[in-house]
Amino acid sequence: MVFSFEHLSELQLDALREIGNIGAGNAATALARMVDHRVSMEVPLVKILPLKDVPEWLGGPEKEVLGVYLSMFGAMSGHILFVLDLDNAQKMMKILLGDMAPAKEQMLDMDDLASSAMAEIGNILSSSYLCALADFTGLNLNHSVPEIAVDMVGAIVDLVLIEISRRGDYALLIETEFVEEKYHIIGFFMLIPDSGSLEIMLKSIGVV
């Protein structure tokens, strides 16, 4: 039997949602340490979403966003995509860079400092989710160096799907709201395990 998100039971979906909640909590803690003040988080939504529906869910294929992409490898393989719209990406940069953060209209042509800061944010947040997944499953997991892009959401998702579409059809999408002193930041974390890796993950958490 080939496991697919499309045919998961409620018990299996609940286990994946719990991983998402733990990962978001870890991400908020990591972000708070990075900026040295309190950051809390909420997870308004955890959803299993067909990949073809991802651009519409994120505001339409022409909406400009900042995306951070990593591939996952080790005991199982897959892909991670973290997406912020430009308003929320700018809020995140203001937390990190203060007055040095680029204006929204400058996001398409960020300087090296802003690009490095955003890549580090993507690295920390994605690592937090991956650590939660590793702790929950007991599997040894690693990830690639993050790649960032500012483009239309359709273009960013299509680039990822060129690789993913051969091996997976669904994503675990976690809407995460970070609440800092001045800003509320909403981002979308997506985990797309390869089809064989979904079975490994479900077996490791005892829901197969």
Side-chain angles (χ1 to χ4, degrees), residues 67-105:
V68 182
Y69 169 75
L70 309 90
S71 58
M72 175 179 66
F73 57 91
M76 61 183 206
S77 60
H79 311 267
I80 291 170
L81 182 63
F82 186 72
V83 174
L84 297 161
D85 67 24
L86 295 192
D87 286 334
N88 285 286
Q90 190 195 25
K91 291 176 185 176
M92 185 72 83
M93 289 196 180
K94 283 183 176 178
I95 293 174
L96 289 172
L97 302 176
D99 293 339
M100 298 177 68
K104 181 180 175 181
E105 57 272 18

Side-chain angles (χ1 to χ4, degrees), residues 99-115:
D99 293 339
M100 298 177 68
K104 181 180 175 181
E105 57 272 18
Q106 297 173 318
M107 296 287 288
L108 289 171
D109 189 25
M110 288 187 291
D111 61 21
D112 290 343
L113 177 63
S115 295

